[in-house]
Amino acid sequence: LSNQSHRSRASKVRQHVHCDSCYSRRCRTRVEVSVSCAVIPCRLHCGALFHLCKEEDHLLLCPNVRVPCLNAEYGCPVHLARSSRAAHLQVCPASVVSCSMEWLRWPTDTTNPHSNIALQENVMKEIKGQDEVALDFAMALVDQSDLYSRLKMNPLYPELMDEEEEEIKEERKEEIAMGGFVKNNLCENNFEGTEQKSVEQGMVLRKDKWNLSDMMFSMERGGCAVAQANLDNPKQNPNSGDKGKRQSQSERQEGGERETSAEQKGLTKEGANCPPADTSKTGQAPWHEGVLERLGQELSPQEYNMYVVHHGRMLLAFGQIEACTPREKDFVYGNLEPIPVQSLRSFKVPDSYHYRRRVHLYDTAARAQSKPCGVDTSDLGANEDDWYSDEAAVTLLGYAEREVMGHKISESKAADGLYVDIGTQTHSFCSAPFKRKTTLAEVMVDRPLKLHLQLQTESVNSRHNRASCAFTFLCGHTFHRREFATHVRNVHCDIQTCLSGWFEQRCPLAYLGCTYSQKRFQPSTHQATIVYKDDLAGGGGDSLSSLPYEVLCHMASFLDSLSLSQLALVSRLMRQVVSSLLQDRGMVTLRWERKTYSHGGAKWRAKPVWEFSRLFSSVDSWHMADIPPISAHLKVCPYYEASVRCEPVPLPSMRKKVGCSQERVSLVNLFAGKR
C-alpha cells in the first residue's frame, strides 16, 4: 500500500492541468505541453481509455494485472489476474478452516455397578489380536491419549515433585528468553549486591527497569538522605543541612518560583565571589525553616490549607511536619462538622464454642473408648504390589473431583473460627518423584494399555467447556474450506453423535462383558464400512510401484484426501506421485517453530507446510446394512443365561386367606362361582 500511494502521488504531480479533471473516453483536446496529453487504450486490453499520464495510476486498478493471491502471506504461491482473485478463494490452498467441534468424555465410575468396566477389560484383551477395533472404543482411546498428554502431575502432587537445580535453571532461562525480567530493590546502596547475587543465580538484571524506578523515586530518596543528615548532625553545622536541602531540591525541582530557583543555583556554585543572601528565614519553599509558621500568619486559612495539601510530601520529607503528630497539633481542614464514630461488632461466636454443640468433644463418657496403638502395613495383610496406586486412575479421579466438586481431594476446610477440618491424602507411586513438567502420558509410556474413560460422550455446556474443564476434547483438524461442510456432516453429525446404540449397536449384555457389536449403517452408493485407524499404510507389499508413473498419477486422482496422505507414506515413488496433486488437492498451513540461539534467546518463526486433510470420501446418504438383528446374537451370546422355571408361581390375590384368617375373594373362587 505504501508503494502504491507513493506512485499515485508521483503520477499526480506529473499530470497535466486538463488531464487532472478529464474522464471522457472521447476527449478531443489538442496535445499541449503541461496542459494535456494523448488518450491511449490499456496495454493489457481491459478496454479502458485514459490519458497517457494516468497509465501508472490505471495499473493499480486494472483487472488484468497479475497480482499475488489475497492469502499470499499464509503460503499461497499463486499469481493471477486481479479480476480472478475472488473466484480463486474457493480453491485457494491457503483458505483453510480448523474444526472447533467439542465434546465431553468423563472418567469411568468404578463405583457404578452398571458401568462398562467388564466390557472394557475384555475388549482390551481382544485388541491385541485384531486389526479392526469398534468405533466407540477407538475414539475413546484417541481421546484418552490426548488427555494424558495434557494432564500434568504437578497440580495434584506438589509434594512428589523432584527439586533439581538443573531443571530450575532451565525454567529461568526460558523466562529470560521470553523477555522476562527480575524485580530488584529500589535502594541504590543495594544495587551492586543485588546484581552480584542475581548473576550467581543465573538471572539477568534489566537496567532499563532500574533507571525507570530510579527516576520515579529519586526525589523521595534525596529527601530521606537530607533528613537523616539533619538528624545525625543537628548541632555541628546548623546551616549545612539547609544547604543540602536547597542543593538537592534545586537539582530536581521542575521550575517552581523564580526567586527560589535563582537562590538554589547560586548555592550550588562553590567558590563564588559574592555569597548569595540567606533566605532560609524568609523563604516560602518547603525546605525553609519555619515556613508553616510564617505562612500561617501571612496567608488565609484556605490558601494555607491548599499549600499544605500540595506540598505535603515535601514537608514530611524535610521534617517540617511530623508523620504522627500529637492531638494538639492535628491539621484541621477548614470548617468541617465532626462525624461520630460508630463501632460495629460483627464477630460471630463459632458454633463449636457453644457447650451443647461441643460437649461431645470434651465428654469422655459420651465418646467411644479407644486406645493408642501403633500399626504397620504388614498388619493390613496387603502385598507389596498393592502398596502402589495406579497413576492414571488416581490422577483422573483427582482432576474429576476438582472439576465436579470445585476443589481437590482432602482439601482443608474451616468449619468455624475454632476448628479446621484438615484433610490429608497420601499417594504412593512407583514412578515418583516426578519432574515439574511431567505429564501423565510420560508416566504411562511403558504401562499396559487400559481404558479409563467412558464410551459415551456428552455435549459441552456453560460450566464444562474447553476453557475450564480438562475432560473437554477438541476436534482441531484442519480442512480446506470446501471440505469443511462435508467433514462436519459425516463425522460429527452422522457418526459421532449417533454412535452409541444407533450407528453402532452393542449386545444388551455388554455391561456383563460381552464384546459383540455391529454397524447398522453403510453408504448407499457403494458397499463399504466405517473403520477408525490411524495408520492405513502399514502391512503388505508395494505391488503398484511396477506400474508406469502416468498410470499411478491417474489412479491417485480418484482417491480422497485421507487416502492420499496415507499413500504418500508407502514409498518414495508414491510420495512423488502424490506430490503432483498438492497444488490442486492439498492445502498449505503455517507451522510455528521455535528457534533457540546460542546466547539463550529464542524466536518463533512460521513455516509454510503442504499437506492433505483427513477427509474421507463424501457420503450423501446412508442405508441399513443387511445384517441379522441383535436378537439373533442373544441366542448364542455366552453371557445370556436363561432362567427356566418349572414350579408354578401363584399370582397376586390367588390365596384364600390373607393375614389373620381374613377371607378374601380369589380369582379361582371368582371363576368357580360364575360356573
Side-chain angles (χ1 to χ4, degrees), residues 287-320:
W287 54 86
H288 290 163
E289 293 183 358
V291 61
L292 294 181
E293 289 76 2
R294 293 192 301 274
L295 293 179
Q297 300 175 0
E298 298 175 1
L299 302 179
S300 61
Q302 290 78 8
E303 295 177 349
Y304 179 80
N305 294 341
M306 292 178 61
Y307 179 87
V308 175
V309 172
H310 184 68
H311 300 86
R313 296 178 61 184
M314 298 294 298
L315 294 173
L316 181 62
F318 289 104
Q320 300 293 348

PDB file of all heavy atoms in Angstrom, residues 287-320:
ATOM      1  N   TRP A 287      11.489  23.475  52.099  1.00  0.00           N
ATOM      2  CA  TRP A 287      12.679  23.110  52.883  1.00  0.00           C
ATOM      3  C   TRP A 287      13.196  24.260  53.754  1.00  0.00           C
ATOM      4  O   TRP A 287      14.202  24.111  54.429  1.00  0.00           O
ATOM      5  CB  TRP A 287      13.777  22.650  51.921  1.00  0.00           C
ATOM      6  CG  TRP A 287      14.083  23.627  50.835  1.00  0.00           C
ATOM      7  CD1 TRP A 287      14.933  24.674  50.888  1.00  0.00           C
ATOM      8  CD2 TRP A 287      13.507  23.638  49.537  1.00  0.00           C
ATOM      9  NE1 TRP A 287      14.941  25.360  49.713  1.00  0.00           N
ATOM     10  CE2 TRP A 287      14.073  24.728  48.840  1.00  0.00           C
ATOM     11  CE3 TRP A 287      12.558  22.852  48.880  1.00  0.00           C
ATOM     12  CZ2 TRP A 287      13.733  25.046  47.533  1.00  0.00           C
ATOM     13  CZ3 TRP A 287      12.236  23.159  47.588  1.00  0.00           C
ATOM     14  CH2 TRP A 287      12.814  24.236  46.915  1.00  0.00           C
ATOM     15  N   HIS A 288      12.553  25.411  53.729  1.00  0.00           N
ATOM     16  CA  HIS A 288      12.968  26.533  54.578  1.00  0.00           C
ATOM     17  C   HIS A 288      12.444  26.344  55.992  1.00  0.00           C
ATOM     18  O   HIS A 288      11.331  25.838  56.196  1.00  0.00           O
ATOM     19  CB  HIS A 288      12.477  27.856  54.000  1.00  0.00           C
ATOM     20  CG  HIS A 288      13.181  28.237  52.728  1.00  0.00           C
ATOM     21  ND1 HIS A 288      12.684  29.195  51.859  1.00  0.00           N
ATOM     22  CD2 HIS A 288      14.337  27.795  52.175  1.00  0.00           C
ATOM     23  CE1 HIS A 288      13.504  29.319  50.824  1.00  0.00           C
ATOM     24  NE2 HIS A 288      14.513  28.472  51.002  1.00  0.00           N
ATOM     25  N   GLU A 289      13.240  26.821  56.970  1.00  0.00           N
ATOM     26  CA  GLU A 289      12.849  26.671  58.361  1.00  0.00           C
ATOM     27  C   GLU A 289      11.683  27.592  58.703  1.00  0.00           C
ATOM     28  O   GLU A 289      11.646  28.744  58.278  1.00  0.00           O
ATOM     29  CB  GLU A 289      14.043  26.984  59.270  1.00  0.00           C
ATOM     30  CG  GLU A 289      15.173  25.973  59.160  1.00  0.00           C
ATOM     31  CD  GLU A 289      16.286  26.295  60.132  1.00  0.00           C
ATOM     32  OE1 GLU A 289      16.177  27.321  60.836  1.00  0.00           O
ATOM     33  OE2 GLU A 289      17.258  25.523  60.186  1.00  0.00           O
ATOM     34  N   GLY A 290      10.750  27.070  59.475  1.00  0.00           N
ATOM     35  CA  GLY A 290       9.623  27.868  59.942  1.00  0.00           C
ATOM     36  C   GLY A 290       8.679  28.324  58.867  1.00  0.00           C
ATOM     37  O   GLY A 290       8.025  29.358  59.028  1.00  0.00           O
ATOM     38  N   VAL A 291       8.622  27.608  57.737  1.00  0.00           N
ATOM     39  CA  VAL A 291       7.769  28.054  56.641  1.00  0.00           C
ATOM     40  C   VAL A 291       6.299  27.966  57.011  1.00  0.00           C
ATOM     41  O   VAL A 291       5.500  28.831  56.648  1.00  0.00           O
ATOM     42  CB  VAL A 291       8.088  27.236  55.367  1.00  0.00           C
ATOM     43  CG1 VAL A 291       7.831  25.753  55.599  1.00  0.00           C
ATOM     44  CG2 VAL A 291       7.285  27.732  54.179  1.00  0.00           C
ATOM     45  N   LEU A 292       5.914  26.953  57.763  1.00  0.00           N
ATOM     46  CA  LEU A 292       4.498  26.812  58.123  1.00  0.00           C
ATOM     47  C   LEU A 292       4.057  27.902  59.091  1.00  0.00           C
ATOM     48  O   LEU A 292       2.921  28.392  59.010  1.00  0.00           O
ATOM     49  CB  LEU A 292       4.256  25.428  58.720  1.00  0.00           C
ATOM     50  CG  LEU A 292       4.432  24.231  57.771  1.00  0.00           C
ATOM     51  CD1 LEU A 292       4.144  22.933  58.501  1.00  0.00           C
ATOM     52  CD2 LEU A 292       3.522  24.377  56.560  1.00  0.00           C
ATOM     53  N   GLU A 293       4.957  28.318  60.042  1.00  0.00           N
ATOM     54  CA  GLU A 293       4.576  29.371  60.984  1.00  0.00           C
ATOM     55  C   GLU A 293       4.395  30.703  60.268  1.00  0.00           C
ATOM     56  O   GLU A 293       3.460  31.461  60.541  1.00  0.00           O
ATOM     57  CB  GLU A 293       5.637  29.505  62.090  1.00  0.00           C
ATOM     58  CG  GLU A 293       5.669  28.351  63.078  1.00  0.00           C
ATOM     59  CD  GLU A 293       6.326  27.110  62.502  1.00  0.00           C
ATOM     60  OE1 GLU A 293       6.788  27.175  61.339  1.00  0.00           O
ATOM     61  OE2 GLU A 293       6.354  26.074  63.187  1.00  0.00           O
ATOM     62  N   ARG A 294       5.308  30.999  59.314  1.00  0.00           N
ATOM     63  CA  ARG A 294       5.184  32.265  58.596  1.00  0.00           C
ATOM     64  C   ARG A 294       3.968  32.276  57.675  1.00  0.00           C
ATOM     65  O   ARG A 294       3.247  33.272  57.579  1.00  0.00           O
ATOM     66  CB  ARG A 294       6.462  32.526  57.778  1.00  0.00           C
ATOM     67  CG  ARG A 294       7.689  32.785  58.631  1.00  0.00           C
ATOM     68  CD  ARG A 294       8.834  33.320  57.768  1.00  0.00           C
ATOM     69  NE  ARG A 294       9.190  32.377  56.714  1.00  0.00           N
ATOM     70  CZ  ARG A 294      10.050  31.363  56.849  1.00  0.00           C
ATOM     71  NH1 ARG A 294      10.635  31.169  58.032  1.00  0.00           N
ATOM     72  NH2 ARG A 294      10.319  30.575  55.831  1.00  0.00           N
ATOM     73  N   LEU A 295       3.729  31.169  56.973  1.00  0.00           N
ATOM     74  CA  LEU A 295       2.580  31.127  56.074  1.00  0.00           C
ATOM     75  C   LEU A 295       1.267  31.160  56.837  1.00  0.00           C
ATOM     76  O   LEU A 295       0.253  31.660  56.326  1.00  0.00           O
ATOM     77  CB  LEU A 295       2.642  29.878  55.197  1.00  0.00           C
ATOM     78  CG  LEU A 295       3.795  29.833  54.181  1.00  0.00           C
ATOM     79  CD1 LEU A 295       3.751  28.528  53.398  1.00  0.00           C
ATOM     80  CD2 LEU A 295       3.712  31.021  53.228  1.00  0.00           C
ATOM     81  N   GLY A 296       1.249  30.642  58.075  1.00  0.00           N
ATOM     82  CA  GLY A 296       0.030  30.694  58.868  1.00  0.00           C
ATOM     83  C   GLY A 296      -0.362  32.108  59.242  1.00  0.00           C
ATOM     84  O   GLY A 296      -1.539  32.399  59.475  1.00  0.00           O
ATOM     85  N   GLN A 297       0.642  33.009  59.308  1.00  0.00           N
ATOM     86  CA  GLN A 297       0.359  34.401  59.639  1.00  0.00           C
ATOM     87  C   GLN A 297       0.100  35.253  58.395  1.00  0.00           C
ATOM     88  O   GLN A 297      -0.650  36.217  58.454  1.00  0.00           O
ATOM     89  CB  GLN A 297       1.534  34.991  60.431  1.00  0.00           C
ATOM     90  CG  GLN A 297       1.807  34.264  61.736  1.00  0.00           C
ATOM     91  CD  GLN A 297       3.046  34.788  62.439  1.00  0.00           C
ATOM     92  OE1 GLN A 297       3.706  35.724  61.930  1.00  0.00           O
ATOM     93  NE2 GLN A 297       3.370  34.203  63.608  1.00  0.00           N
ATOM     94  N   GLU A 298       0.720  34.890  57.263  1.00  0.00           N
ATOM     95  CA  GLU A 298       0.606  35.711  56.070  1.00  0.00           C
ATOM     96  C   GLU A 298      -0.579  35.322  55.185  1.00  0.00           C
ATOM     97  O   GLU A 298      -1.177  36.187  54.543  1.00  0.00           O
ATOM     98  CB  GLU A 298       1.900  35.610  55.246  1.00  0.00           C
ATOM     99  CG  GLU A 298       3.125  36.114  55.987  1.00  0.00           C
ATOM    100  CD  GLU A 298       4.402  35.898  55.188  1.00  0.00           C
ATOM    101  OE1 GLU A 298       4.287  35.361  54.054  1.00  0.00           O
ATOM    102  OE2 GLU A 298       5.492  36.248  55.693  1.00  0.00           O
ATOM    103  N   LEU A 299      -0.915  34.048  55.114  1.00  0.00           N
ATOM    104  CA  LEU A 299      -1.950  33.577  54.201  1.00  0.00           C
ATOM    105  C   LEU A 299      -3.267  33.362  54.929  1.00  0.00           C
ATOM    106  O   LEU A 299      -3.312  33.258  56.164  1.00  0.00           O
ATOM    107  CB  LEU A 299      -1.513  32.260  53.537  1.00  0.00           C
ATOM    108  CG  LEU A 299      -0.197  32.300  52.746  1.00  0.00           C
ATOM    109  CD1 LEU A 299       0.104  30.924  52.175  1.00  0.00           C
ATOM    110  CD2 LEU A 299      -0.263  33.346  51.640  1.00  0.00           C
ATOM    111  N   SER A 300      -4.307  33.283  54.122  1.00  0.00           N
ATOM    112  CA  SER A 300      -5.629  32.969  54.672  1.00  0.00           C
ATOM    113  C   SER A 300      -5.700  31.472  54.983  1.00  0.00           C
ATOM    114  O   SER A 300      -4.883  30.674  54.494  1.00  0.00           O
ATOM    115  CB  SER A 300      -6.713  33.350  53.660  1.00  0.00           C
ATOM    116  OG  SER A 300      -6.551  32.600  52.460  1.00  0.00           O
ATOM    117  N   PRO A 301      -6.685  31.034  55.785  1.00  0.00           N
ATOM    118  CA  PRO A 301      -6.773  29.600  56.094  1.00  0.00           C
ATOM    119  C   PRO A 301      -6.957  28.722  54.859  1.00  0.00           C
ATOM    120  O   PRO A 301      -6.400  27.623  54.787  1.00  0.00           O
ATOM    121  CB  PRO A 301      -7.996  29.526  57.027  1.00  0.00           C
ATOM    122  CG  PRO A 301      -8.075  30.887  57.635  1.00  0.00           C
ATOM    123  CD  PRO A 301      -7.627  31.837  56.582  1.00  0.00           C
ATOM    124  N   GLN A 302      -7.737  29.216  53.857  1.00  0.00           N
ATOM    125  CA  GLN A 302      -7.921  28.405  52.657  1.00  0.00           C
ATOM    126  C   GLN A 302      -6.618  28.262  51.882  1.00  0.00           C
ATOM    127  O   GLN A 302      -6.253  27.176  51.419  1.00  0.00           O
ATOM    128  CB  GLN A 302      -9.015  29.013  51.760  1.00  0.00           C
ATOM    129  CG  GLN A 302     -10.419  28.916  52.324  1.00  0.00           C
ATOM    130  CD  GLN A 302     -10.683  29.949  53.399  1.00  0.00           C
ATOM    131  OE1 GLN A 302      -9.848  30.842  53.626  1.00  0.00           O
ATOM    132  NE2 GLN A 302     -11.833  29.846  54.066  1.00  0.00           N
ATOM    133  N   GLU A 303      -5.872  29.355  51.714  1.00  0.00           N
ATOM    134  CA  GLU A 303      -4.597  29.298  50.998  1.00  0.00           C
ATOM    135  C   GLU A 303      -3.569  28.463  51.764  1.00  0.00           C
ATOM    136  O   GLU A 303      -2.765  27.739  51.168  1.00  0.00           O
ATOM    137  CB  GLU A 303      -4.065  30.714  50.770  1.00  0.00           C
ATOM    138  CG  GLU A 303      -4.944  31.564  49.860  1.00  0.00           C
ATOM    139  CD  GLU A 303      -4.420  32.979  49.728  1.00  0.00           C
ATOM    140  OE1 GLU A 303      -3.497  33.341  50.501  1.00  0.00           O
ATOM    141  OE2 GLU A 303      -4.916  33.713  48.866  1.00  0.00           O
ATOM    142  N   TYR A 304      -3.620  28.556  53.074  1.00  0.00           N
ATOM    143  CA  TYR A 304      -2.691  27.773  53.897  1.00  0.00           C
ATOM    144  C   TYR A 304      -2.972  26.273  53.752  1.00  0.00           C
ATOM    145  O   TYR A 304      -2.048  25.453  53.630  1.00  0.00           O
ATOM    146  CB  TYR A 304      -2.815  28.215  55.356  1.00  0.00           C
ATOM    147  CG  TYR A 304      -1.922  27.447  56.307  1.00  0.00           C
ATOM    148  CD1 TYR A 304      -0.571  27.770  56.429  1.00  0.00           C
ATOM    149  CD2 TYR A 304      -2.427  26.410  57.084  1.00  0.00           C
ATOM    150  CE1 TYR A 304       0.246  27.070  57.304  1.00  0.00           C
ATOM    151  CE2 TYR A 304      -1.626  25.708  57.956  1.00  0.00           C
ATOM    152  CZ  TYR A 304      -0.277  26.037  58.063  1.00  0.00           C
ATOM    153  OH  TYR A 304       0.530  25.334  58.916  1.00  0.00           O
ATOM    154  N   ASN A 305      -4.254  25.927  53.747  1.00  0.00           N
ATOM    155  CA  ASN A 305      -4.601  24.511  53.595  1.00  0.00           C
ATOM    156  C   ASN A 305      -4.196  23.975  52.224  1.00  0.00           C
ATOM    157  O   ASN A 305      -3.701  22.849  52.082  1.00  0.00           O
ATOM    158  CB  ASN A 305      -6.100  24.320  53.805  1.00  0.00           C
ATOM    159  CG  ASN A 305      -6.530  24.627  55.223  1.00  0.00           C
ATOM    160  OD1 ASN A 305      -5.697  24.645  56.142  1.00  0.00           O
ATOM    161  ND2 ASN A 305      -7.811  24.902  55.416  1.00  0.00           N
ATOM    162  N   MET A 306      -4.393  24.790  51.165  1.00  0.00           N
ATOM    163  CA  MET A 306      -4.006  24.366  49.831  1.00  0.00           C
ATOM    164  C   MET A 306      -2.494  24.176  49.730  1.00  0.00           C
ATOM    165  O   MET A 306      -2.002  23.244  49.057  1.00  0.00           O
ATOM    166  CB  MET A 306      -4.486  25.387  48.792  1.00  0.00           C
ATOM    167  CG  MET A 306      -5.997  25.457  48.637  1.00  0.00           C
ATOM    168  SD  MET A 306      -6.500  26.718  47.448  1.00  0.00           S
ATOM    169  CE  MET A 306      -5.704  26.107  45.971  1.00  0.00           C
ATOM    170  N   TYR A 307      -1.722  25.011  50.394  1.00  0.00           N
ATOM    171  CA  TYR A 307      -0.265  24.881  50.363  1.00  0.00           C
ATOM    172  C   TYR A 307       0.182  23.585  51.034  1.00  0.00           C
ATOM    173  O   TYR A 307       1.053  22.866  50.526  1.00  0.00           O
ATOM    174  CB  TYR A 307       0.364  26.095  51.054  1.00  0.00           C
ATOM    175  CG  TYR A 307       1.879  26.053  51.090  1.00  0.00           C
ATOM    176  CD1 TYR A 307       2.626  26.548  50.021  1.00  0.00           C
ATOM    177  CD2 TYR A 307       2.553  25.508  52.173  1.00  0.00           C
ATOM    178  CE1 TYR A 307       4.011  26.499  50.038  1.00  0.00           C
ATOM    179  CE2 TYR A 307       3.939  25.457  52.204  1.00  0.00           C
ATOM    180  CZ  TYR A 307       4.667  25.948  51.133  1.00  0.00           C
ATOM    181  OH  TYR A 307       6.036  25.888  51.155  1.00  0.00           O
ATOM    182  N   VAL A 308      -0.417  23.283  52.173  1.00  0.00           N
ATOM    183  CA  VAL A 308      -0.019  22.077  52.908  1.00  0.00           C
ATOM    184  C   VAL A 308      -0.410  20.821  52.133  1.00  0.00           C
ATOM    185  O   VAL A 308       0.341  19.845  52.067  1.00  0.00           O
ATOM    186  CB  VAL A 308      -0.646  22.085  54.311  1.00  0.00           C
ATOM    187  CG1 VAL A 308      -0.351  20.778  55.036  1.00  0.00           C
ATOM    188  CG2 VAL A 308      -0.112  23.265  55.112  1.00  0.00           C
ATOM    189  N   VAL A 309      -1.600  20.836  51.506  1.00  0.00           N
ATOM    190  CA  VAL A 309      -2.036  19.666  50.746  1.00  0.00           C
ATOM    191  C   VAL A 309      -1.154  19.458  49.523  1.00  0.00           C
ATOM    192  O   VAL A 309      -0.783  18.336  49.175  1.00  0.00           O
ATOM    193  CB  VAL A 309      -3.521  19.826  50.342  1.00  0.00           C
ATOM    194  CG1 VAL A 309      -3.940  18.722  49.383  1.00  0.00           C
ATOM    195  CG2 VAL A 309      -4.401  19.809  51.590  1.00  0.00           C
ATOM    196  N   HIS A 310      -0.771  20.554  48.860  1.00  0.00           N
ATOM    197  CA  HIS A 310       0.016  20.447  47.631  1.00  0.00           C
ATOM    198  C   HIS A 310       1.457  20.023  47.919  1.00  0.00           C
ATOM    199  O   HIS A 310       2.054  19.263  47.154  1.00  0.00           O
ATOM    200  CB  HIS A 310      -0.003  21.781  46.891  1.00  0.00           C
ATOM    201  CG  HIS A 310       0.697  21.733  45.564  1.00  0.00           C
ATOM    202  ND1 HIS A 310       0.197  21.011  44.496  1.00  0.00           N
ATOM    203  CD2 HIS A 310       1.865  22.294  45.151  1.00  0.00           C
ATOM    204  CE1 HIS A 310       1.017  21.140  43.459  1.00  0.00           C
ATOM    205  NE2 HIS A 310       2.037  21.908  43.837  1.00  0.00           N
ATOM    206  N   HIS A 311       2.041  20.512  49.022  1.00  0.00           N
ATOM    207  CA  HIS A 311       3.436  20.204  49.351  1.00  0.00           C
ATOM    208  C   HIS A 311       3.533  19.287  50.564  1.00  0.00           C
ATOM    209  O   HIS A 311       4.521  19.334  51.309  1.00  0.00           O
ATOM    210  CB  HIS A 311       4.222  21.497  49.629  1.00  0.00           C
ATOM    211  CG  HIS A 311       4.256  22.449  48.481  1.00  0.00           C
ATOM    212  ND1 HIS A 311       3.254  23.377  48.256  1.00  0.00           N
ATOM    213  CD2 HIS A 311       5.152  22.623  47.471  1.00  0.00           C
ATOM    214  CE1 HIS A 311       3.535  24.084  47.181  1.00  0.00           C
ATOM    215  NE2 HIS A 311       4.684  23.642  46.661  1.00  0.00           N
ATOM    216  N   GLY A 312       2.541  18.441  50.759  1.00  0.00           N
ATOM    217  CA  GLY A 312       2.553  17.588  51.947  1.00  0.00           C
ATOM    218  C   GLY A 312       3.715  16.615  51.974  1.00  0.00           C
ATOM    219  O   GLY A 312       4.368  16.422  53.006  1.00  0.00           O
ATOM    220  N   ARG A 313       4.009  15.985  50.831  1.00  0.00           N
ATOM    221  CA  ARG A 313       5.095  15.011  50.802  1.00  0.00           C
ATOM    222  C   ARG A 313       6.444  15.674  51.023  1.00  0.00           C
ATOM    223  O   ARG A 313       7.325  15.127  51.704  1.00  0.00           O
ATOM    224  CB  ARG A 313       5.081  14.278  49.461  1.00  0.00           C
ATOM    225  CG  ARG A 313       3.824  13.452  49.230  1.00  0.00           C
ATOM    226  CD  ARG A 313       3.842  12.786  47.871  1.00  0.00           C
ATOM    227  NE  ARG A 313       4.966  11.884  47.735  1.00  0.00           N
ATOM    228  CZ  ARG A 313       5.255  11.230  46.616  1.00  0.00           C
ATOM    229  NH1 ARG A 313       4.491  11.405  45.537  1.00  0.00           N
ATOM    230  NH2 ARG A 313       6.293  10.420  46.560  1.00  0.00           N
ATOM    231  N   MET A 314       6.642  16.875  50.452  1.00  0.00           N
ATOM    232  CA  MET A 314       7.901  17.581  50.650  1.00  0.00           C
ATOM    233  C   MET A 314       8.057  18.046  52.093  1.00  0.00           C
ATOM    234  O   MET A 314       9.147  17.968  52.673  1.00  0.00           O
ATOM    235  CB  MET A 314       7.974  18.768  49.692  1.00  0.00           C
ATOM    236  CG  MET A 314       7.954  18.372  48.218  1.00  0.00           C
ATOM    237  SD  MET A 314       9.433  17.452  47.767  1.00  0.00           S
ATOM    238  CE  MET A 314      10.695  18.669  48.083  1.00  0.00           C
ATOM    239  N   LEU A 315       6.984  18.534  52.672  1.00  0.00           N
ATOM    240  CA  LEU A 315       7.052  18.971  54.069  1.00  0.00           C
ATOM    241  C   LEU A 315       7.354  17.808  54.994  1.00  0.00           C
ATOM    242  O   LEU A 315       8.096  17.953  55.977  1.00  0.00           O
ATOM    243  CB  LEU A 315       5.735  19.638  54.459  1.00  0.00           C
ATOM    244  CG  LEU A 315       5.403  20.960  53.744  1.00  0.00           C
ATOM    245  CD1 LEU A 315       3.985  21.403  54.101  1.00  0.00           C
ATOM    246  CD2 LEU A 315       6.407  22.046  54.123  1.00  0.00           C
ATOM    247  N   LEU A 316       6.795  16.647  54.688  1.00  0.00           N
ATOM    248  CA  LEU A 316       7.072  15.470  55.503  1.00  0.00           C
ATOM    249  C   LEU A 316       8.499  14.986  55.318  1.00  0.00           C
ATOM    250  O   LEU A 316       9.157  14.537  56.273  1.00  0.00           O
ATOM    251  CB  LEU A 316       6.079  14.358  55.145  1.00  0.00           C
ATOM    252  CG  LEU A 316       6.217  13.043  55.925  1.00  0.00           C
ATOM    253  CD1 LEU A 316       5.975  13.278  57.407  1.00  0.00           C
ATOM    254  CD2 LEU A 316       5.249  12.001  55.378  1.00  0.00           C
ATOM    255  N   ALA A 317       9.016  15.089  54.091  1.00  0.00           N
ATOM    256  CA  ALA A 317      10.370  14.610  53.822  1.00  0.00           C
ATOM    257  C   ALA A 317      11.429  15.479  54.491  1.00  0.00           C
ATOM    258  O   ALA A 317      12.457  14.976  54.962  1.00  0.00           O
ATOM    259  CB  ALA A 317      10.617  14.541  52.308  1.00  0.00           C
ATOM    260  N   PHE A 318      11.205  16.805  54.548  1.00  0.00           N
ATOM    261  CA  PHE A 318      12.187  17.716  55.124  1.00  0.00           C
ATOM    262  C   PHE A 318      11.929  18.014  56.592  1.00  0.00           C
ATOM    263  O   PHE A 318      12.505  18.941  57.150  1.00  0.00           O
ATOM    264  CB  PHE A 318      12.218  19.029  54.325  1.00  0.00           C
ATOM    265  CG  PHE A 318      12.830  18.860  52.968  1.00  0.00           C
ATOM    266  CD1 PHE A 318      12.023  18.810  51.845  1.00  0.00           C
ATOM    267  CD2 PHE A 318      14.202  18.728  52.821  1.00  0.00           C
ATOM    268  CE1 PHE A 318      12.579  18.655  50.599  1.00  0.00           C
ATOM    269  CE2 PHE A 318      14.760  18.571  51.569  1.00  0.00           C
ATOM    270  CZ  PHE A 318      13.956  18.519  50.445  1.00  0.00           C
ATOM    271  N   GLY A 319      11.067  17.272  57.223  1.00  0.00           N
ATOM    272  CA  GLY A 319      10.882  17.403  58.659  1.00  0.00           C
ATOM    273  C   GLY A 319      10.069  18.589  59.095  1.00  0.00           C
ATOM    274  O   GLY A 319      10.102  18.966  60.270  1.00  0.00           O
ATOM    275  N   GLN A 320       9.345  19.248  58.200  1.00  0.00           N
ATOM    276  CA  GLN A 320       8.528  20.392  58.583  1.00  0.00           C
ATOM    277  C   GLN A 320       7.285  19.959  59.356  1.00  0.00           C
ATOM    278  O   GLN A 320       6.805  20.684  60.222  1.00  0.00           O
ATOM    279  CB  GLN A 320       8.117  21.195  57.346  1.00  0.00           C
ATOM    280  CG  GLN A 320       9.292  21.743  56.548  1.00  0.00           C
ATOM    281  CD  GLN A 320      10.060  22.809  57.306  1.00  0.00           C
ATOM    282  OE1 GLN A 320       9.600  23.307  58.335  1.00  0.00           O
ATOM    283  NE2 GLN A 320      11.250  23.163  56.817  1.00  0.00           N
TER     284      GLN A 320
END
